[in-house]
Amino acid sequence: MSELIIKNLHVSIEDKEILKGLNLVIKPGEIHAIMGPNGTGKSTLAYSLMGHPSYEVTEGEIIFGGEDMLEMAPDERSRAGMFLAFQYPVSIPGVTVANFLRTALNARRRAENPEDKGISILEFRKMLKEKMDLLKMDHAFAGRYLNEGFSGGEKKRAEILQMATLKPKIAVLDETDSGLDIDALRIVSEGVNALSGDD
């Protein structure tokens, strides 16, 4: 995992300043929880880290692994090892969970090594089943369209499955507990805890 350094970060949405000089350093192995009432900028920080175009960084720096994230497009940030689990994940009809994850994993692998031919289907299936077992997910889940008709808990588990598959260097979880019943919350939190020490 690489160090994340945020210096004097100012972020605006539609000319309204939301973040006003945020400073934060997250070292490898650390887990941080940012808490506060609605509207204080938690999601704004998450989206700014990933380069969402609606969030304008007007001042400051985001350095991750020694690289200036503000100079990178969102997909480049992802390939650099950043991951965002959305508060409200979107549906992608026609794209199965398995196909989405294999495509994303191969993009990450090729970013690290352009000669990489990608993970074989058999190797991917084996790895995906192991991750799904860790998260107590039915294997049939992999054949469903991403977030299409998913319950709130299923959407959050799908996000954690993405994190487990992609093994990012740093993960930002935007209110992953939002809308979960106690059983789904337990499963998701156990999965996050198991992954936090995963190499």
Side-chain angles (χ1 to χ4, degrees), residues 53-145:
S54 296
Y55 296 78
E56 182 187 3
V57 175
T58 56
E59 191 177 339
E61 295 179 287
I62 301 172
I63 307 295
F64 178 60
E67 296 185 71
D68 182 356
M69 292 292 109
L70 297 179
E71 296 297 319
M72 294 184 175
D75 64 311
E76 293 172 313
R77 296 177 196 205
S78 175
R79 288 194 302 268
M82 296 186 86
F83 176 85
L84 172 61
F86 293 96
Q87 184 176 354
Y88 303 107
V90 296
S91 301
I92 307 178
V95 177
T96 65
V97 170
N99 284 340
F100 174 80
L101 290 175
R102 185 163 180 254
T103 300
L105 180 60
N106 283 334
R108 167 74 55 79
R109 287 171 57 140
R110 288 189 190 108
E112 294 169 0
N113 176 11
E115 302 299 316
D116 193 315
K117 301 280 190 240
I119 189 169
S120 73
I121 291 175
L122 289 177
E123 185 185 355
F124 176 75
R125 282 184 184 160
K126 180 177 183 283
M127 183 267 304
L128 186 60
K129 285 179 180 178
E130 289 171 0
K131 301 299 184 188
M132 294 179 89
D133 289 343
L134 175 74
L135 297 170
K136 299 176 177 65
M137 297 173 78
D138 185 331
H139 293 176
F141 192 84
R144 294 175 64 187
Y145 294 149

Side-chain angles (χ1 to χ4, degrees), residues 12 23 25 46 54 60 80-81 88 91 96 106 109 142 162-164 169 173 176 179-180 196:
S12 296
N23 293 291
V25 176
S54 296
Y88 303 107
S91 301
T96 65
N106 283 334
R109 287 171 57 140
Q162 290 172 44
M163 187 173 74
K169 294 174 184 172
L173 310 179
T176 303
L180 297 184
S196 67

